[in-house]
Amino acid sequence: MCPPRSTTTSSPRSASIFPPCTAMSACAKRCWALTRCTSYDVYAPLVGDLKKSYSYETAQEMVLKAVAPLGEDYQATVRKAYAERWIDVYPNRGKRGGAYSGGCYDSNPYILLNFSGTLDSVSTLAHEMGHTIHSWRSRQHQPPQYADYTLFVAEVASTVNENLLIEQLLANENDPQTRLYLLNQYLENFKGTVYRQTMFAEFEREAHAMVERGEALNAAALNALYKRLVTDYFGNDMVIDDEIQYEWARIPHFYRPFYVYKYATGYSTAVALSEGILKEGEPAVKRYKEFLSMGGSAYPLDELRHAGVDLATPAPVDAALEKFERILDDAEATLAKLQ
């Protein structure tokens, strides 16, 4: 799952797999007129927050429109969730923050939101609705012992919905400022999920290998390992500050062994599926909805193969990284219009 490194000094954009922040830092440098780009600069958005607010009713319609490629039966379940009040929408005293989809085999799959009217809130509604429809279809088609899907596939349906939403918005957006905001969110999803989580997974794998080799697992060794990986993944064009070596110590996921790679595999799968749904149409939609109905009745890799994605090959990851490159090209072109 770890992406290959560039072995030349030529532009990393020449191949479909390239260090993300080498290209993204170049974009950031032009946007902010920077002479150097550090590891924290790439977390700054390319454009400020949109001065737009959406009512919850508008958000509902946006999500319905986004999932239209999945067919009327999928939309009908979304409408059912709206009409039957499966969703606790707004923040409230004593209510937990964030957003969640939950429930049990013989209940509706309820959603807890903290809707605030931002575009991020709209995306969160789409995301949680993906979890909810996945749970709903699994419970409708599987007995209790097979109704729960595994963690390996848990973020696929939610991310497919997010991608369908952003693709639908981009297809109908001509304002450069708004378009760059959407593209920036897309790029952040790739950087934070496909690249960063894969880097985390390699750190975790190497730390366990150190123990197996009988090496001391102390702070200095882990600091050195983490800094080397940041340099490998983010490229020499970025200034790597010494402080970055301590970042591993604040990542709680490392206390749940071999968990983080699932973010990267799930996101790559979701990109492949959403691209197939939009380009191939009904055959891809049929396979995808069958996948949503499988719950835990088959091995995760077999379920994803049924949906049309074979993670035993590099093809889905290659396709996701090619998609990343196209989004980055679009962002650079859009940025040029604003300058």
Side-chain angles (χ1 to χ4, degrees):
M1 185 58 212
C2 299
R5 316 288 193 263
S6 174
T7 57
T8 70
T9 56
S10 60
S11 170
R13 302 292 304 285
S14 62
S16 62
I17 297 177
F18 51 91
C21 291
T22 301
M24 290 182 70
S25 63
C27 188
K29 285 180 181 179
R30 287 197 297 276
C31 183
W32 304 308
L34 297 174
T35 58
R36 64 197 292 270
C37 188
T38 68
S39 56
Y40 45 83
D41 286 319
V42 296
Y43 289 94
L46 298 177
V47 65
D49 286 338
L50 293 180
K51 303 301 181 184
K52 291 186 178 181
S53 182
Y54 304 87
S55 69
Y56 177 62
E57 291 71 25
T58 298
Q60 289 178 306
E61 289 304 312
M62 291 170 70
V63 172
L64 268 177
K65 191 172 182 179
V67 300
L70 297 175
E72 177 54 38
D73 60 334
Y74 191 101
Q75 286 183 304
T77 308
V78 175
R79 291 191 182 95
K80 178 181 178 70
Y82 292 161
E84 296 183 2
R85 300 178 65 187
W86 293 5
I87 307 169
D88 185 356
V89 180
Y90 299 105
N92 205 346
R93 181 179 298 172
K95 184 179 180 181
R96 183 176 178 180
Y100 307 90
S101 176
C104 60
Y105 184 77
D106 55 0
S107 78
N108 294 326
Y110 293 106
I111 296 174
L112 295 179
L113 291 180
N114 283 280
F115 188 83
S116 62
T118 63
L119 186 57
D120 185 63
S121 285
V122 181
S123 182
T124 299
L125 174 60
H127 180 103
E128 298 303 328
M129 189 59 71
H131 284 308
T132 287
I133 303 301
H134 194 180
S135 298
W136 174 257
R137 293 183 70 95
S138 291
R139 293 167 189 171
Q140 291 292 306
H141 291 87
Q142 299 295 332
Q145 64 268 32
Y146 295 131
D148 289 336
Y149 42 84
T150 66
L151 189 61
F152 190 84
V153 302
E155 293 299 331
V156 171
S158 55
T159 309
V160 165
N161 274 15
E162 277 194 84
N163 289 353
L164 291 176
L165 174 65
I166 198 167
E167 290 287 352
Q168 195 275 328
L169 293 173
L170 284 169
N172 295 280
E173 185 57 67
N174 295 316
D175 174 62
Q177 193 86 0
T178 304
R179 188 173 184 82
L180 188 58
Y181 179 89
L182 294 169
L183 292 166
N184 182 80
Q185 293 301 107
Y186 224 157
L187 291 172
E188 282 297 310
N189 289 341
F190 271 91
K191 177 172 67 67
T193 307
V194 177
Y195 284 97
R196 183 169 166 83
Q197 299 298 329
T198 302
M199 183 184 74
F200 284 172
E202 188 166 355
F203 172 81
E204 188 175 17
R205 184 190 67 185
E206 289 301 311
H208 281 263
M210 289 168 64
V211 174
E212 292 170 354
R213 293 193 298 266
E215 298 175 15
L217 204 63
N218 54 40
L222 292 173
N223 290 348
L225 169 61
Y226 192 84
K227 187 174 182 180
R228 175 177 64 78
L229 289 172
V230 170
T231 303
D232 287 348
Y233 274 75
F234 284 67
N236 293 323
D237 288 348
M238 179 185 291
V239 177
I240 307 296
D241 295 319
D242 282 342
E243 288 79 7
I244 197 65
Q245 68 183 308
Y246 306 112
E247 187 182 36
W248 66 268
R250 71 169 187 83
I251 307 300
H253 300 73
F254 294 147
Y255 295 97
R256 187 171 184 177
F258 300 106
Y259 171 72
V260 291
Y261 79 92
K262 297 179 179 73
Y263 287 111
T265 54
Y267 195 87
S268 298
T269 298
V271 169
L273 289 172
S274 56
E275 289 283 285
I277 289 164
L278 294 173
K279 293 177 180 177
E280 187 181 347
E282 181 53 34
V285 171
K286 181 176 183 294
R287 293 193 303 268
Y288 177 64
K289 288 193 287 194
E290 288 172 349
F291 157 74
L292 295 180
S293 302
M294 295 176 76
S297 61
Y299 288 113
L301 287 178
D302 291 334
E303 291 185 348
L304 294 178
R305 286 191 190 97
H306 186 89
V309 176
D310 189 356
L311 282 176
T313 74
V317 177
D318 289 344
L321 296 177
E322 289 168 3
K323 175 67 174 179
F324 176 89
E325 187 168 15
R326 292 195 299 273
I327 298 167
L328 186 57
D329 287 340
D330 196 346
E332 290 174 333
T334 305
L335 180 61
K337 295 178 182 179
L338 293 171
Q339 294 177 331

